Amino acid sequence: MTSAGPTVFHPDRAPHGPVPVAERVTWIGALDPDLRSFDIILKTANGTTYNSYLVRGSAGVAVIDTVKQEFTTDFLTKLEAVARYDEITTLVLNHLEPDHTGAVPELLRRAPHAHIYVSPRGLQVLRALLKDRFDDYTVTTVTTGDTVSLGDRTLKILTTPYVHWPDTQCTYLEEQNLLFTCDLLGCHYCDGRLFNDRVGDFRFSFEYYFDHIMRPFKRYVAEALDMIEPLEIDMIAPGHGPVLRTHPRDYITHYRRLITKRLARETGTQKTLLIFYVSAYGATAQMAGAIHDGAAESEDVRVSLFDLEGGDVAPFIDLIEEADGLAFGTPTINGDAVRIVWDMLSSLVDIDTKGKLGAAFGSYGWTGEAVGMVEARMQGLKMRVPERGLKIRMHPTGDELEECRDFGRRLAAHLAGRPMEREIDLSALLGS
Ligand code: FEO
């Protein structure tokens, strides 16, 4: 009888030395199986890996990315097993975040003649990383189409910014159809078996990583995929997680699916407005209903109304990501908005909200700060907030409900691209 083996991390099988990835290409990265949160906010049930690769050509040796600083000794030990420092002609830095550049200063101390290649945006971060030693090294900025020759091996650069930092790029080893992607197409999953056809099931980690790192940058992921998809690809070597050597294109296809809108056909050309509210005594609910009714008069806008008291935040994030406009209704309680509204607003950091229409409203008893606080948060998320938030003291009167309906009409008009003329309320401007 055989017992089922562990599925997450195999310390017995963990590579203590470099691992051949392809002909002339060697993994010289580090395993971090005990990490349980990355960048503070990301859970890592399986730890992670910091993948660095060494490429040997007939006229030079390249290192592609390095590792987090605390793994420098581990990284250099692996490197020394496959190359001498004086052989290293090239250091390609696809992304300058510290988990990939922590070992750069020490590597350059030992291989000072290595020619560094970074994206133009990466240059300023490299300067900050190397401080007063920056001028000791040779640095070239590279963009799409630039090549670095290692003799019989060629590294071709693809500039793929904002996946997920401004500096990010990919590097393509032309002769072997091997693409080094750094964070793109990676995941936080540590398994010493390294290759996607050998490690445990990491699909959840691949999607979780996408959701929290790449999702806010979908438009840039799309541009990166546009560049990558035409390439012949036999292997994808990311900066974290398994090396994708079996069916690598499936992972590109999956990214394409993850960035594709689901509701485009359902809503046709209509704009979408989602109204979320919570209500303590029913007053904010009345406002929400009236705003809904006013906005729904427009045939150009599909309006949806949700009581957050009856819902969790997470299921709404997909809807919000694809919506054109959001309105949040909250009473003011103890000088603040209600917690579930904050939970939802803080969750929006995982998606791209730039340019969406935002609006706030709510009933209040004494001070009514919540509406302004929600507006400020939406502006912080780079949403446009064209209408001043609507506050009504206690329950709305018939006239005030009409004011709410008009607020809804205005929001719909903004979404339809036909903003309504606005009557200036001088008493409101004077704060009376
Ligand atoms: Fe893996 Fe953006 O660093």
Side-chain angles (χ1 to χ4, degrees):
M1 183 176 149
T2 57
S3 61
T7 57
V8 174
F9 176 64
H10 287 246
D12 294 342
R13 299 182 219 173
H16 297 293
V19 178
V21 166
E23 185 189 358
R24 314 261 206 98
V25 182
T26 308
W27 178 85
I28 53 171
L31 305 177
D32 191 358
D34 299 324
L35 189 77
R36 289 296 172 266
S37 71
F38 188 91
D39 278 357
I40 306 168
I41 56 169
L42 204 65
K43 297 296 181 189
T44 49
N46 304 77
T48 194
T49 67
Y50 311 103
N51 297 335
S52 170
Y53 303 92
L54 186 139
V55 181
R56 181 174 285 280
S58 61
V61 170
V63 173
I64 315 286
D65 299 318
T66 71
V67 300
K68 196 175 180 181
Q69 193 272 336
E70 66 199 78
F71 296 91
T72 298
T73 301
D74 185 8
F75 159 73
L76 293 174
T77 301
K78 290 190 181 80
L79 186 155
E80 288 166 12
V82 289
R84 299 190 314 274
Y85 290 113
D86 62 7
E87 291 182 299
I88 299 171
T89 56
T90 302
L91 173 60
V92 177
L93 299 175
N94 286 322
H95 173 32
L96 276 289
E97 199 167 3
D99 52 321
H100 305 287
T101 53
V104 166
E106 185 56 34
L107 174 62
L108 289 173
R109 266 182 217 108
R110 299 177 187 219
H113 55 283
H115 195 132
I116 308 166
Y117 296 90
V118 292
S119 68
R121 285 178 171 126
L123 187 64
Q124 56 187 297
V125 189
L126 181 66
R127 200 181 286 275
L129 176 73
L130 298 177
K131 306 290 185 190
D132 55 2
R133 299 210 58 181
F134 178 82
D135 290 332
D136 296 346
Y137 305 113
T138 307
V139 184
T140 297
T141 56
V142 283
T143 55
T144 297
D146 288 342
T147 57
V148 180
S149 175
L150 303 174
D152 61 355
R153 291 291 183 273
T154 310
L155 301 172
K156 189 169 186 175
I157 304 300
L158 290 83
T159 305
T160 53
Y162 292 101
V163 292
H164 63 129
W165 268 24
D167 62 328
T168 47
Q169 63 179 24
C170 296
T171 300
Y172 183 57
L173 178 55
E174 281 190 318
E175 291 80 4
Q176 294 176 247
N177 301 337
L178 200 167
L179 186 66
F180 301 99
T181 56
C182 204
D183 282 346
L184 191 73
L185 296 162
C187 67
H188 291 310
Y189 188 88
C190 182
D191 187 319
R193 294 169 292 188
L194 279 184
F195 296 99
N196 67 320
D197 51 297
R198 296 186 64 215
V199 301
D201 192 335
F202 64 101
R203 285 176 295 182
F204 80 96
S205 184
F206 189 81
E207 293 196 5
Y208 178 80
Y209 179 99
F210 173 89
D211 281 345
H212 291 274
I213 295 182
M214 297 297 162
R215 185 173 179 175
F217 304 96
K218 275 184 174 183
R219 67 182 77 176
Y220 297 102
V221 172
E223 291 173 6
L225 295 183
D226 288 345
M227 299 179 75
I228 289 170
E229 281 167 339
L231 300 173
E232 286 286 319
I233 292 182
D234 293 336
M235 184 180 295
I236 295 168
H240 299 290
V243 175
L244 308 173
R245 67 178 179 185
T246 300
H247 305 306
R249 195 163 287 278
D250 286 358
Y251 294 87
I252 297 171
T253 304
H254 193 52
Y255 254 45
R256 182 60 79 178
R257 189 177 68 74
L258 289 171
I259 65 169
T260 301
K261 279 192 172 191
R262 293 176 299 121
L263 299 181
R265 253 178 292 172
E266 191 179 338
T267 54
T269 58
Q270 274 185 317
K271 301 293 184 181
T272 51
L273 172 64
L274 309 182
I275 302 171
F276 296 98
Y277 70 93
V278 281
S279 191
Y281 293 102
T284 301
Q286 282 183 287
M287 293 178 70
I291 292 168
H292 170 277
D293 292 348
E297 290 173 10
S298 169
E299 293 182 353
D300 298 320
V301 179
R302 183 189 195 187
V303 192
S304 307
L305 184 63
F306 303 100
D307 182 351
L308 281 174
E309 191 177 348
D312 292 326
V313 168
F316 289 121
I317 299 302
D318 285 348
L319 286 184
I320 291 174
E321 184 174 42
E322 297 183 4
D324 300 295
L326 308 170
F328 291 97
T330 174
T332 298
I333 297 180
N334 294 335
D336 203 347
V338 176
R339 179 172 178 165
I340 193 166
V341 173
W342 285 128
D343 287 347
M344 176 164 274
L345 289 167
S346 66
S347 296
L348 301 188
V349 74
D350 284 336
I351 60 175
D352 182 3
T353 52
K354 187 176 179 182
K356 289 186 191 296
L357 178 141
F361 62 93
S363 166
Y364 68 102
W366 293 104
T367 47
E369 296 96 331
V371 168
M373 296 165 98
V374 169
E375 282 184 304
R377 170 62 177 160
M378 289 190 292
Q379 284 161 342
L381 288 164
K382 297 188 171 59
M383 296 171 68
R384 59 191 175 98
V385 185
E387 290 289 327
R388 180 175 174 168
L390 185 58
K391 298 195 290 185
I392 290 176
R393 197 160 195 173
M394 308 301 281
H395 280 76
T397 64
D399 286 347
E400 287 170 328
L401 284 175
E402 181 55 28
E403 194 181 340
C404 292
R405 278 187 285 275
D406 195 51
F407 188 71
R409 290 182 196 111
R410 290 181 178 282
L411 296 181
H414 282 291
L415 285 170
R418 294 187 292 273
M420 298 161 68
E421 290 288 319
R422 187 171 187 184
E423 289 177 26
I424 307 266
D425 180 350
L426 290 176
S427 64
L429 288 177
L430 293 171
S432 59

